[in-house]
């Protein structure tokens, strides 16, 4: 198990929901300095095309010395994606989505990582009788296949999410994403599991992790939390602490190595403080695994009696 | 499109939840007569082993003249399944679950149908650190593969469901079930889609139907309804009427032929009345499709503007 | 029963969520003309202070000849409300929230209506151990009491909502709002029921309407729809059609008179088209009540057997 | 703060859901011995009329020396309540529900407690157009008023719950229950807060506790847990650990004294083991409050920055 902590550049920038703007925009330079010198993270996740609006981006990132964990390809925000990206009814738009993913792959190579991650958040539907479901899935398959075939040295990691911006996103859960990967059969295709997305999809995050890992497709991990009804992007473990512990238990048990990135947004206080707390909580939770005892947990798991397990777990907190 | 209505024998029998018993037990003979002569359904769905407790069952069913739509294999109710069926930690129990499914397949053949349906409702977990997710999924794959390989002339149709009896069932949604089918690669393996289960899994039923149909795995359809939070087994269309209409639109559009079975339980009034209403509602909704206009719906779907679609839909109701 | 349709000015303006901007900003003049001449609504709902940024607002509204259904007081969007409005820990901020509501009341009088509506969307909490619940509720009571006491000729109608922007809003459901009204005892204090908010609070909208009406506090009605998990602000009846029908049945049954306002946002197509469809759907659904038969519905209600009710309802659609 | 642990007799008896029977029935004697000698609880909660089926019940309970925390009046299970109890359309049934509650009050006095608790789980509705909401609420008010007026020395504590057995229970959340108490104005009327019920009503349990306590109506506490979608009656703190900690923080902060009863059912292992673990977890969590520091928590609460709070909380677990 080798884990590295990555900060999404966006989590240090402007943040607004429908009703309120919580955080102001901040320059790329400023954010890179904070990540390296204050947060002391191991790397960054960077969004294409938004974070590349400034043409000095590649240069600034390289100069920062911070490794890039993944290029996150955004196919949802711009006007052109209004009716969808990989599943837009318009063929030209679908081709553009593929091109975005391919450009992201090339940028990843240039920035020294082997990973792009992409969450197709505007592919799906809001209303009944609004989208042609049969075509949409075929277009998704075609688009992802075309993009991932672009080059085999870069992994394409798909991030599933139940809803937002669409009421029903097409790539909604781990099973569906694994089905897509299995059907397309490309070895460089895999999964970004965001714990918050697993929770709103009514999954058990550690179970989704295990399922994707067993398929050899557990590529990239996003940690955060929520109350299982909406993707609030909260501090990991701040709601479902046992789920965080269990995810890290499986990470260790399956000897998974990779980047952990944090889709955590601050609505109170400063984002730097939030991200520092985030990394400290994850490290301390890994330490708690030792306190509880990985072997003891294996033994309790084999027993399968929740009363024994939780009596032990809570006692271990004292 | 050729549709036939099937009645689950259980929906005319005893019905109780944790707190209240709503319907008394009734004899098999009585129920068969009601289905044929009062409800006038096209066939029945029968549960193995419970409905076969009486050794005259095969004879009684044959004598009734009612075709069997599917044998429903129950691997959840008996004591022996307490810790799971296909994913029980005990190997002997897992083998027994496989044997049940195979016996169900043989019974199906004997009763003149080519379909068993099975909803593994006790495979999953309730608590964190209770089940070994990695083993569970492997056991599920092994068990389903072994069972479905028993004979290729009988279809094994898996019914997914998010929860109940487990807080988290392992076969929770359509994507995961398609992944399993795709991975095992057996042509006689497919999906029973229960509209109520799709709703609690936060799916759009018509979309799940289309996805399974495109994979050639949409074997069997259960209709009912709920408010998307729990599987109340309500009358079809009584909550999400547009979803029922959209499912039937896709049934027609994809020219799907098969059995529609009704997992609908009466908590008020008599089950006969409930099932009569159920079939009448489905038939009338198919008729409404004509009133709205299948071509008009295709046109609205191509337009993709909900305002136009719903203005037309509601106007059509007058 | 006398119903009038009101358009929220905001629904014709800029619209964006976390990830995408769906509609551009439009001038007040333009919107007033559209409402009067294209949508042909009966009035408008206007937001203080945002819609009053232009000092000509009062003049423009009066000139338009469109009645104002209510002044909607926004105590959530501006920076100053970051930590809450009526329940902000800072006393000066709490006083400012009260002042906003009072100014809204005066503006209402000036614009010829007797109603302000207010949804305190930033009062609540996101995390455990973040807010002092005991103080928060007391502050809410004090603030609302102070505001509503400002003048008795203007009704203060509180709009409850489960969440957003807070993970947990303090004024979350109809029961809590009625409790507040009852406790404060002011006759000019009542409830704005937004059907979408009722749905995400897991209420039955018609039941919430009946409860508030029986208490003499059902002041103002917002129609829209969603799938009961998030406030998507969809076209009324586009998901839960029977709920819309049932709300309108109670409106008629209780002979309720008042404004219906539409918190409906267009993410596809033009807002004008969406709002036209919205009003047409509501009018046609009122007409459907006649087709189904208000008396027949009373009879079915008295019977209380869902099978009979829904068989009749669906048959009526043909 | 003086807390006492009570065991519901039912949690040691037969336990079944729709699909599986998890625990066999056990005699009253046996259960009383287990509670006193093995679990070593401080008292019992007993159900009228079911636990009084045996005419020796009062004698056996008295002989056991175990104090009774409350008599739990069951108005849901028997056939007669099929259409409701306090809100049944049939007047005689409604009067019988009132009589049950009054009998429960007399039994409470006889058994030496001042508390009955009642969760009206069959009052509400399943379908649209099934219940007359206006009458139902009036009947609820009349019934509860009549019952609680029976004698002022016994507290009537109402337990709210969102759903089950009805899809929509009428007494669904804390706000509505407080509204009822406030409206009826009887000082012996209050609230049983079940943490699991608060969670499925999308409440924050500690907030609901604080709200009821501030109104002087926080009478009785049920602890258990679930994933906020269904009342699984799990071990307290096994899902939402921070919520358990926060509830106990408010119990201590508000110096609340009373009985804590455990609506916790074992689906794996023996109920004795489950209830022992339950009490141990609650006691250890109270101890954890000291380890974290009640004063430190007050300080973090005053700060209101989740990053600081959760960094501290998780660090405290090591």
């Amino acid at each position: 198990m080798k884990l590295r902590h990555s900060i999404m550049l966006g989590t240090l920038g402007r943040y607004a929901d429908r009703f309120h703007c919580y955080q102001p925009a901040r320059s790329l330079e400023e954010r890179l300095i904070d990540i390296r010198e204050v947060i002391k993270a191991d790397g960054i996740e960077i969004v294409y095309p938004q974070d590349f609006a400034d043409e000095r981006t590649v240069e600034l990132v390289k100069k920062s010395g911070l490794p890039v964990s993944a290029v996150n390809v955004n196919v949802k925000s711009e006007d052109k994606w209004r009716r969808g990206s990989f599943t837009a009814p318009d063929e030209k738009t679908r081709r553009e989505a593929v091109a975005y993913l391919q450009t992201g792959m090339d940028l990843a190579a240039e920035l020294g990582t082997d990973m792009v991650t992409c969450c197709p958040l505007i592919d799906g539907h809001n209303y009944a009788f609004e989208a042609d479901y049969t075509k949409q899935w075929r277009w998704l398959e075609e688009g992802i296949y075309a993009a991932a075939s672009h080059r085999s040295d870069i992994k394409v990691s798909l991030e599933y999410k139940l809803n937002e911006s669409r009421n029903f996103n097409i790539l909604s859960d781990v099973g569906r994403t694994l089905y897509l990967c299995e059907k397309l059969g490309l070895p460089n295709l895999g999964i970004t599991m965001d714990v918050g997305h697993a929770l709103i999809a009514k999954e058990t995050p550690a179970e989704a992790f295990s399922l994707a890992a067993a398929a050899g497709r557990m590529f990239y991990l996003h940690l955060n939390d929520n109350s299982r009804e909406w993707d609030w992007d909260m501090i990991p473990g701040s709601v479902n602490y046992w789920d965080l512990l269990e995810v890290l238990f499986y990470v260790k048990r399956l000897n998974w190595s990779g980047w952990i990135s944090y889709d955590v947004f601050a609505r109170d206080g400063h984002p730097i403080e939030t991200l520092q707390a985030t990394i400290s909580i994850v490290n301390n939770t890994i330490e708690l695994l030792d306190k509880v005892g990985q072997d003891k947990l294996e033994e309790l798991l084999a027993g399968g009696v929740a009363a024994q397990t939780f009596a032990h777990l809570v006692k271990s907190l004292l």
Side-chain angles (χ1 to χ4, degrees), chain A residues 12 39 89 137 141 143 164 175-176 193 207 222 258 277 297:
Chain A
L12 288 166
I39 304 178
W137 185 261
E141 285 188 351
E164 196 196 15
R176 202 172 263 240
M193 194 190 74
E207 198 262 1
H222 276 184
L297 278 169

Side-chain angles (χ1 to χ4, degrees), chain A residues 56-103:
Chain A
R56 296 170 309 144
T57 294
V58 172
E59 182 200 328
L60 283 171
V61 168
K62 287 189 172 174
K63 218 181 74 186
S64 78
L66 283 163
V68 170
S69 60
V71 173
N72 188 325
V73 178
N74 177 339
V75 285
K76 62 181 184 287
S77 300
E78 294 162 278
D79 262 9
K80 61 178 128 187
W81 312 124
R82 180 73 43 83
R83 306 278 317 267
S85 61
F86 296 108
T87 71
D90 174 54
E91 196 196 336
K92 198 172 140 290
T93 308
R94 296 201 300 275
R95 276 205 304 264
E96 201 165 355
V98 171
Y100 263 52
L101 202 41
Q102 293 174 336
T103 303

Side-chain angles (χ1 to χ4, degrees), chain A residues 303-318:
Chain A
V305 177
Q308 292 168 13
T309 304
F310 281 92
H312 177 78
L313 280 173
V314 172
K315 194 142 194 259
S316 305
L317 308 181
L318 291 176

Side-chain angles (χ1 to χ4, degrees), chain A residues 241 279-289:
Chain A
Y241 191 68
I279 292 177
S280 134
I281 283 166
V282 172
N283 285 333
N284 282 333
T285 303
I286 291 171
E287 214 176 309
L288 184 62
L289 271 184

Side-chain angles (χ1 to χ4, degrees), chain A residues 173-183 191 208 211-212 215 217:
Chain A
D173 53 48
V174 72
R176 202 172 263 240
T177 315
L178 280 170
Y179 170 58
L180 181 68
C181 291
E182 190 70 21
K183 190 120 180 279
I191 291 181
L211 189 60
R217 308 229 183 240

Side-chain angles (χ1 to χ4, degrees), chain A residues 3-155:
Chain A
L3 301 177
R4 286 189 292 174
H5 303 289
S6 176
I7 299 299
M8 302 171 78
L9 284 171
T11 58
L12 288 166
R14 184 178 183 276
Y15 186 61
D17 63 17
R18 291 206 296 171
F19 300 144
H20 197 87
C21 177
Y22 300 91
Q23 304 290 348
R26 302 174 72 224
S27 77
L28 183 59
E29 283 100 327
E30 205 182 344
R31 290 185 278 162
L32 288 169
I33 291 169
D34 284 338
I35 292 170
R36 198 184 58 222
E37 294 181 12
V38 188
I39 304 178
K40 294 186 171 44
D42 302 315
I44 57 164
E45 182 178 319
I46 188 166
V47 173
Y48 171 80
Q50 283 72 12
D51 289 332
F52 293 83
D54 183 333
E55 55 182 20
R56 296 170 309 144
T57 294
V58 172
E59 182 200 328
L60 283 171
V61 168
K62 287 189 172 174
K63 218 181 74 186
S64 78
L66 283 163
V68 170
S69 60
V71 173
N72 188 325
V73 178
N74 177 339
V75 285
K76 62 181 184 287
S77 300
E78 294 162 278
D79 262 9
K80 61 178 128 187
W81 312 124
R82 180 73 43 83
R83 306 278 317 267
S85 61
F86 296 108
T87 71
D90 174 54
E91 196 196 336
K92 198 172 140 290
T93 308
R94 296 201 300 275
R95 276 205 304 264
E96 201 165 355
V98 171
Y100 263 52
L101 202 41
Q102 293 174 336
T103 303
M105 294 169 85
D106 295 339
L107 276 169
E110 189 179 345
L111 288 165
T113 178
D114 63 348
M115 185 94 65
V116 297
T117 182
C118 181
C119 193
L121 288 179
I122 210 150
D123 289 310
H125 65 282
N126 299 329
Y127 286 90
F129 296 104
E130 185 188 72
D132 187 324
Y133 307 130
T134 312
K135 284 182 185 160
Q136 275 199 333
W137 185 261
R138 201 177 65 232
W139 288 333
L140 183 71
E141 285 188 351
E142 288 170 1
I144 298 301
Y145 190 87
S149 303
H150 174 57
R151 49 192 294 173
S152 61
D153 60 335
I154 301 293
K155 292 190 178 96

